[in-house]
Amino acid sequence: LAAAMLAAIGLKVGLDRASAVGAGFLFVTMSSLTEAVVWISGMQDVLMATLALGAVLAVLGLRALPQETPLRAGTAVLLTAIALGVKETAVSIPVLAWLAAWATPYGIGRGTRRRTLYTMTTVAILYVAIRVAAGIASDYSRGIGRYFFKQLTVEPFAGLGAPWSSAWSETHPWAGLSRIVIVALIAASFFVLRRRDGRLAVAVISAAWVFISVLPVFSLFHVSATLEGSRYLYLPAAGFALLLALLFGTLAQRVNASIAPVVMSIGVVVLAIPSLAATPAVIGRWNQAGWTRDQSL
């Protein structure tokens, strides 16, 4: 469901059909997301991210038309409110919705879409005010400095760019080639995308999606060598998948527009192969951890 909504969001922000489907495919096959799916402590991350994608998609479906019904607007606000009750990371939903709306051909608009965004933002601000009034742990903002910002820049993309455990990576060194592909994609985009190209805005927003999704839990964010803590990557992975699919699709169009969907699909599958290969081992490790937990209890 999350992958399908992500593909729909990709279409709304201007990705071609093959790239949008590719984004959903990269998201659903990313092996670092298995903790959130398999391990019980990640359940709230899956639910919150699904609600977030639903809220953003509802906003992107809005227009400033006279016949616009309040259903989509109400859905976006309601999903945002429910997500805030699931996990604090949901405070990023209005920001993601503003950026995604801005990136669409229609823009933020001046009608129903803008009013909905203001309402979602108000709900999030009220939530933050209540949380602050109730008290926030004193160590939440401890350790903010240059090293912190360096780690915040590196770790989310490292976990998403190499979504497998260190043990699996050591026994399958060929998987590291996918990092080279990702770096090559990003480097090529500097030569392909132009400042006034709408795809550049979508690429920047997709990358920003990763940071924005991590910020509410920055004091807790850490992905270990065994992928513990990778549940925090569930929502950021949506933006990262959009970014990679967009870059693949753009380069495929430049190579040969007539076969661009085929080239793009092959590239996405090649990039997903290490995750597809690593996923059974990762799921098996989490299942084994669950069995050990049950035996200990």
Side-chain angles (χ1 to χ4, degrees), residues 13-15 99 102-103 186 188-208 242-243 246-247 250 254:
V13 298
L15 269 67
L99 291 175
W102 177 74
I186 296 173
S189 69
F190 282 93
F191 297 96
V192 173
L193 297 175
R194 295 293 180 262
R195 187 180 302 176
R196 296 185 179 181
D197 191 338
R199 291 171 296 183
L200 176 60
V202 178
V204 172
I205 288 171
S206 299
L242 279 175
L243 174 64
L246 170 67
L247 296 182
T250 301
R254 289 299 182 95

Side-chain angles (χ1 to χ4, degrees), residues 18-121:
S19 298
V21 173
F25 180 76
L26 287 172
F27 177 83
V28 80
T29 57
M30 199 170 294
S31 56
S32 62
L33 306 186
T34 48
E35 181 194 22
V37 176
V38 177
W39 197 247
I40 190 64
S41 63
M43 180 172 59
Q44 66 269 27
D45 291 271
V46 175
L47 179 56
M48 182 275 301
T50 304
L51 294 168
L53 292 171
V56 172
L57 183 58
V59 168
L60 299 186
L62 290 169
R63 296 290 188 275
L65 301 175
Q67 65 270 29
E68 185 72 70
T69 65
L71 180 59
R72 285 193 180 123
T75 299
V77 175
L78 180 62
L79 291 179
T80 301
I82 296 174
L84 287 167
V86 175
K87 190 168 184 176
E88 64 272 14
T89 315
V91 296
S92 63
I93 294 177
V95 183
L96 299 177
W98 277 97
L99 291 175
W102 177 74
T104 61
Y106 176 70
I108 294 173
R110 295 184 177 275
T112 308
R113 178 182 284 190
R114 176 168 291 198
R115 289 194 297 270
T116 303
L117 289 169
Y118 279 132
T119 305
M120 293 168 63
T121 304

Side-chain angles (χ1 to χ4, degrees), residues 116-278:
T116 303
L117 289 169
Y118 279 132
T119 305
M120 293 168 63
T121 304
T122 301
V123 170
I125 291 174
L126 288 174
Y127 170 82
V128 172
I130 293 171
R131 286 294 301 269
V132 171
I136 298 178
S138 59
D139 60 345
Y140 179 73
S141 58
R142 184 181 299 170
I144 296 181
R146 293 173 61 188
Y147 180 77
F148 160 78
F149 286 107
K150 189 269 288 184
Q151 290 300 100
L152 186 62
T153 303
V154 172
E155 284 204 23
F157 284 99
L160 293 167
W164 46 81
S165 67
S166 59
W168 190 89
S169 181
E170 289 172 0
T171 56
H172 301 80
W174 56 267
L177 294 174
S178 64
R179 297 185 185 184
I180 299 176
V181 174
I182 293 173
V183 173
L185 279 173
I186 296 173
S189 69
F190 282 93
F191 297 96
V192 173
L193 297 175
R194 295 293 180 262
R195 187 180 302 176
R196 296 185 179 181
D197 191 338
R199 291 171 296 183
L200 176 60
V202 178
V204 172
I205 288 171
S206 299
W209 183 305
V210 177
F211 293 111
I212 294 167
S213 303
V214 167
L215 279 176
V217 289
F218 68 84
S219 63
L220 305 172
F221 183 83
H222 175 69
V223 181
S224 72
T226 58
L227 294 184
E228 288 181 273
S230 59
R231 61 186 179 276
Y232 296 123
L233 293 172
Y234 200 85
L235 183 57
F240 191 68
L242 279 175
L243 174 64
L244 294 183
L246 170 67
L247 296 182
F248 260 126
T250 301
L251 293 178
Q253 287 282 347
R254 289 299 182 95
V255 172
N256 193 324
S258 61
I259 60 171
V262 176
V263 174
M264 187 271 168
S265 300
I266 294 174
V268 166
V269 170
V270 168
L271 193 61
I273 285 176
S275 283
L276 289 169

